[in-house]
Amino acid sequence: MSAPLTSLDRPNSYIGRSVPRPNAKRLLAGRGRYVTDIRLPRMLYAAFLRSPYAHARIIRIEVDAARALSGVHLVATGADLAKICTPWTGTLDHFKGMTSEPQLPLPVDRVVWAGQAVIAVVAESRAIAEDALELISVDYEELPAVVDLDAARRPGMPLVNPVAASNICFRTQLDSGGVDEAFASAAHVIEEEFSFGRHTPVTLEPRAIVADYDPESGALTVHHATQTPYQFQDLYARHYGIPEAGVRVIAPDIGGSFGMKLHVYHEDMAVVGLSILLGRPVKYVADRIESFVSDIHARDHHVRARMAVDAEGKILAMDVHDATAIGAFSTYPRTSVVEGNQVIRLIGAPYDFKSYRAALEVVFQNKVQTSQYRAVGHPIACAVTERMVDLAASRVGIDPFCMRARNVIADNAYPTASPSGYRFEALSHEVCLRRLREIMDYDALRAEQTELHRRGIYRGIGIATFVEITNPSPAFYGVGGARISSQDGATVSLTPSGEVRCAISVTEQGQGTEAIISQIVADQLGLAQEHVKIVTGDTEVTPHGGATWACRGAGIGGETALQAARKLKANILEIAALVLQEQPAALDVVDGQIVSVATGQTRLPVAEIARIAYFRSDTLPPGTQAQLTVSHHFAPQGYPFAFTNGIQGSYLEVDVETGFIRLLKHYVVEDCGRIINPMLVDEQLRGGVVQGLGAALFEECRYGETGQLLNGSMADYLVPMAMEMPDITIDHVETPTADTILGAKGCGEAGTAAASACVLNAVNDALMPFGASINTIPITPARVLKALNRF
């Protein structure tokens, strides 16, 4: 008989309670264990010679002097690694017509971006390996480089891949119908072009890997700073011909990822091959300069948009073209097409209109690859949509809040679908709009803004609604043939001491996975959270699953843990019922004690059940086999995604003499479904907002005409620091998804999704008295002054 199900809403529930992360003190004390900290017996160190050219043919390589250097164990070229590693191609089946050139760990005959790794040296130390790099001679024949996004699309331009027909990786179109008719009948037509600069994740911990191949057993162990150990277990096994069971990937503590550590990097694949060739552990940690020229970059979009609006401000239609550049290859295995695809599918998502047309062009160029980074596509879609809405409000002559209130999808209109084809279960735009207006004290800010204008102080107010994709189903990658799981697995055990161990496939990289999973398990089992140990990030000891990406940790991993814990609780109560000669339904677990449901009387500790099951099973009725370990998997069903929503606001000041922007206050109202840990949700939102503000005002990878990265160091590339950041006020709405018991959606990308959009609107609001307009991100002082005709 099943145990009673614990309510998620009872007063003493761990669900909805702010509790610290279990690993916080350990990390703050400097006791984290990162890949950089790993030292294995007989370990060697890899370094890479990189191309000085954005595009060139490799004519000759001379490595004899490097091989002769004392302490060098191996100098490997692309041809050496091509003998043991099969190539990979960054395409997915559901992106019809998509192309990308096959890739190998190191190039064999041609380099395609400045900074591409060309030759690997393995030595007794990183210093010796770098000394050996100085002794290598490579002759190149420089080829024309395709650098500019718009130029790359023109007929007759040089090709990034000489055997391809063009520099186009992928094209697609969406058309819900009625667009031309809507524009023909519109009272107002708003047209604008937008440009979004490249930026790079700048994680606290760079990419790092230790590959350890044992030639005796044929087993490969990889310590890898990654979000997705199971994905890499599959890839290393397939491309190096090792049985999957013989590959173990361990993801220890990770200093940030933000999507950057999801992808296959040439150096990482090479390190695995180097370990196989040598039969010894090989370590590689990217330095910061290498990170700038080899980590994936993000964004890089040029968007043309039109919006049709009636005389009262009702949106009738949108027509959009997005061209995005992705570097020389599409990344593997998730591709570089996903961002652009999400841009055109999320534009206009919060609003109630039916006629929508969009075209996407994904373009190759001789630069480092771009791919998934926190809030994939969301900031571009949000900025385009929300700037167009503000422009429409100005054209119609109504307040931006009023414009949105007239157009957002009503909270009672769900379920519904966007004109791009996304299906929404339940969102809360109307209540979020009202909450934001209240927490901003919007009318008072407008009055203050007007008064300050009279004194020559120019402040701006910007708002931006957003929709975020979370809890992706197999429709995200599995449908395209990628071996990237949409399910998660959990193994939950009651230990002999009466504590609980949960091994789960979602991974921890600072966002709080250990905290929320332990809260859920403790809540469902009726135990104290400190008695629950969470194990993550090891393919050898945790069940297979999708791990952590696309805001799925709480919504899918948390639901997996919840269902596993309920199964274990039912088993515990069955044993308790046998011991106490009761029915399982008459018992419950509260604060680690078996209690009577009817009276609340304590009967015996859970630890006693564990002792009897493990050590005195002879006292149980014949035929009883206590099952105190439960393994369970869960994959989302129902809606393909659990969409979340919210709205952000920005209050800032623009110095029209210098172009500098001072952020004064930022506001977020967010609906991520059921909130498990409010403190962690707020941390995620604030961190996401800061990354979005960095993109809005500071971060941009700038290239020269020949494809050289001009600001590839922390001395030249700007990231926001604490002193640049405003106070961030956060409020919440909860609309749980009905697709799971837990009802949780994601929140990790929500802060980033709309931050740059509302800053863009706020800057333009501040510049309105001058008739100036900016539609390029990042919004630098130089761009502000140019808009004001002062530069």
Side-chain angles (χ1 to χ4, degrees), residues 206-350:
R207 284 189 292 116
I209 185 170
V210 176
D212 183 8
Y213 181 74
D214 180 0
E216 303 304 321
S217 65
L220 172 68
T221 300
V222 183
H223 303 266
H224 196 176
T226 177
Q227 298 172 238
T228 51
Y230 310 94
Q231 168 190 292
F232 284 99
Q233 178 190 36
D234 165 64
L235 295 176
Y236 295 146
R238 283 196 286 123
H239 289 283
Y240 279 103
I242 304 171
E244 188 173 297
V247 178
R248 179 183 186 183
V249 178
I250 303 169
D253 291 321
I254 297 174
S257 178
F258 316 124
M260 185 269 282
K261 296 173 183 174
L262 287 172
H263 313 290
V264 169
Y265 289 94
H266 302 88
E267 299 94 335
D268 297 350
M269 272 293 202
V271 167
V272 172
L274 297 172
S275 180
I276 292 171
L277 289 173
L278 289 164
R280 290 179 63 168
V282 178
K283 181 176 188 176
Y284 170 69
V285 179
D287 65 31
R288 192 61 72 183
I289 303 297
E290 289 180 301
S291 292
F292 273 103
V293 296
S294 61
D295 291 353
I296 60 110
H297 290 177
R299 317 313 183 207
D300 205 352
H301 293 254
H302 291 179
V303 182
R304 298 194 311 270
R306 296 193 304 151
M307 178 181 282
V309 181
D310 71 13
E312 283 72 45
K314 188 75 175 68
I315 298 171
L316 304 175
M318 289 191 74
D319 187 3
V320 175
H321 180 277
D322 178 24
T324 178
I326 61 167
F329 301 107
S330 169
T331 52
Y332 180 68
R334 296 167 185 262
T335 83
S336 300
V337 164
V338 171
E339 164 132 327
N341 186 61
Q342 291 192 178
V343 168
I344 64 170
R345 291 186 178 276
L346 282 170
I347 283 177

Side-chain angles (χ1 to χ4, degrees), residues 391-404:
L391 289 168
S394 177
R395 185 77 62 85
V396 175
I398 59 177
D399 182 84
F401 263 103
C402 179
M403 180 71 184
R404 287 164 176 81

Side-chain angles (χ1 to χ4, degrees), residues 241-509:
I242 304 171
E244 188 173 297
V247 178
R248 179 183 186 183
V249 178
I250 303 169
D253 291 321
I254 297 174
S257 178
F258 316 124
M260 185 269 282
K261 296 173 183 174
L262 287 172
H263 313 290
V264 169
Y265 289 94
H266 302 88
E267 299 94 335
D268 297 350
M269 272 293 202
V271 167
V272 172
L274 297 172
S275 180
I276 292 171
L277 289 173
L278 289 164
R280 290 179 63 168
V282 178
K283 181 176 188 176
Y284 170 69
V285 179
D287 65 31
R288 192 61 72 183
I289 303 297
E290 289 180 301
S291 292
F292 273 103
V293 296
S294 61
D295 291 353
I296 60 110
H297 290 177
R299 317 313 183 207
D300 205 352
H301 293 254
H302 291 179
V303 182
R304 298 194 311 270
R306 296 193 304 151
M307 178 181 282
V309 181
D310 71 13
E312 283 72 45
K314 188 75 175 68
I315 298 171
L316 304 175
M318 289 191 74
D319 187 3
V320 175
H321 180 277
D322 178 24
T324 178
I326 61 167
F329 301 107
S330 169
T331 52
Y332 180 68
R334 296 167 185 262
T335 83
S336 300
V337 164
V338 171
E339 164 132 327
N341 186 61
Q342 291 192 178
V343 168
I344 64 170
R345 291 186 178 276
L346 282 170
I347 283 177
Y351 298 105
D352 181 18
F353 68 100
K354 303 303 180 188
S355 296
Y356 180 66
R357 183 166 60 208
L360 171 67
E361 283 186 295
V362 180
V363 184
F364 292 122
Q365 58 183 172
N366 290 115
K367 295 181 181 178
V368 69
Q369 298 164 99
T370 71
S371 198
Q372 284 86 321
Y373 171 61
R374 193 176 196 172
V376 183
H378 294 65
I380 287 82
C382 186
V384 170
T385 301
E386 295 303 300
R387 180 70 185 127
M388 296 295 284
V389 169
D390 261 22
L391 289 168
S394 177
R395 185 77 62 85
V396 175
I398 59 177
D399 182 84
F401 263 103
C402 179
M403 180 71 184
R404 287 164 176 81
R406 290 184 186 179
N407 284 283
V408 292
I409 301 171
D411 293 355
N412 63 1
Y414 296 94
T416 190
S418 74
S420 69
Y422 278 149
R423 293 194 293 127
F424 302 138
E425 177 191 9
L427 301 176
S428 56
H429 294 299
E430 290 181 315
V431 66
C432 286
L433 271 169
R434 292 194 295 270
R435 290 273 187 92
L436 181 69
R437 187 164 191 143
E438 292 167 6
I439 67 172
M440 289 182 76
D441 197 358
Y442 180 71
D443 294 333
L445 286 186
R446 283 294 183 199
E448 180 179 76
Q449 178 191 41
T450 301
E451 173 59 29
L452 290 172
H453 277 179
R454 297 191 186 102
R455 294 158 47 191
I457 297 171
Y458 297 94
R459 291 187 175 179
I461 302 167
I463 59 175
T465 60
F466 67 89
V467 170
E468 180 197 1
I469 296 173
T470 77
N471 294 7
S473 73
F476 205 75
Y477 287 118
V479 70
R483 294 174 63 83
I484 299 170
S485 182
S486 62
Q487 69 161 19
D488 275 309
T491 298
V492 186
S493 303
L494 181 66
T495 69
S497 65
E499 297 181 328
V500 170
R501 179 182 184 273
C502 175
I504 192 161
S505 57
V506 287
T507 50
E508 169 73 59
Q509 56 258 358

Side-chain angles (χ1 to χ4, degrees), residues 475-760:
F476 205 75
Y477 287 118
V479 70
R483 294 174 63 83
I484 299 170
S485 182
S486 62
Q487 69 161 19
D488 275 309
T491 298
V492 186
S493 303
L494 181 66
T495 69
S497 65
E499 297 181 328
V500 170
R501 179 182 184 273
C502 175
I504 192 161
S505 57
V506 287
T507 50
E508 169 73 59
Q509 56 258 358
Q511 82 281 37
T513 291
E514 292 180 9
I516 61 171
I517 299 301
S518 63
Q519 283 181 257
I520 293 166
V521 171
D523 181 83
Q524 295 301 297
L525 289 175
L527 302 175
Q529 185 191 13
E530 56 265 29
H531 294 157
V532 178
K533 177 179 175 60
I534 305 299
V535 178
T536 71
D538 188 339
T539 61
E540 194 84 349
V541 299
T542 59
H544 193 281
T548 302
W549 49 276
C551 293
R552 62 186 306 284
I556 300 178
E559 182 70 12
T560 306
L562 180 146
Q563 294 187 18
R566 289 189 170 189
K567 286 185 175 182
L568 177 59
K569 182 178 179 181
N571 292 354
I572 291 169
L573 292 179
E574 285 185 6
I575 302 301
L578 293 173
V579 172
L580 297 171
Q581 297 185 351
E582 288 274 12
Q583 291 297 315
L587 302 173
D588 199 359
V589 183
V590 177
D591 295 332
Q593 303 289 324
I594 305 296
V595 301
S596 169
V597 171
T599 65
Q601 177 187 2
T602 299
R603 305 296 299 274
L604 80 167
V606 169
E608 179 65 8
I609 299 298
R611 185 193 69 82
I612 292 170
Y614 283 107
F615 308 118
R616 290 304 311 273
S617 57
D618 58 303
T619 63
L620 297 173
T624 301
Q625 295 291 334
Q627 300 296 322
L628 298 184
T629 295
V630 168
S631 289
H632 182 76
H633 281 81
F634 169 78
Q637 297 178 350
Y639 284 85
F641 308 98
F643 286 96
T644 72
N645 72 277
I647 185 168
Q648 296 187 30
S650 177
Y651 189 46
L652 53 78
E653 184 175 310
V654 179
D655 186 328
V656 296
E657 299 301 323
T658 66
F660 281 92
I661 297 164
R662 183 160 65 99
L663 299 167
L664 302 173
K665 195 74 179 282
H666 201 90
Y667 309 84
V668 182
V669 179
E670 187 266 354
D671 185 346
C672 65
R674 189 183 300 277
I675 296 174
I676 300 167
N677 186 321
M679 179 174 66
L680 293 185
V681 170
D682 286 358
E683 286 182 10
Q684 284 289 289
L685 289 170
R686 287 193 173 94
V689 165
V690 169
Q691 283 187 289
L693 295 177
L697 298 174
F698 304 104
E699 299 184 50
E700 184 175 23
C701 296
R702 293 183 290 106
Y703 281 81
E705 292 181 357
T706 60
Q708 300 293 326
L709 182 62
L710 302 178
N711 60 334
S713 76
M714 294 303 291
D716 302 300
Y717 182 90
L718 298 180
V719 294
M721 307 293 282
M723 63 183 294
E724 282 86 40
M725 290 300 97
D727 287 339
I728 302 171
T729 298
I730 296 175
D731 198 3
H732 299 282
V733 176
E734 288 190 73
T735 308
T737 174
D739 279 350
T740 63
I741 300 167
L742 186 61
K745 306 176 188 178
C747 69
E749 298 177 306
T752 307
S756 56
C758 60
V759 167
L760 179 66

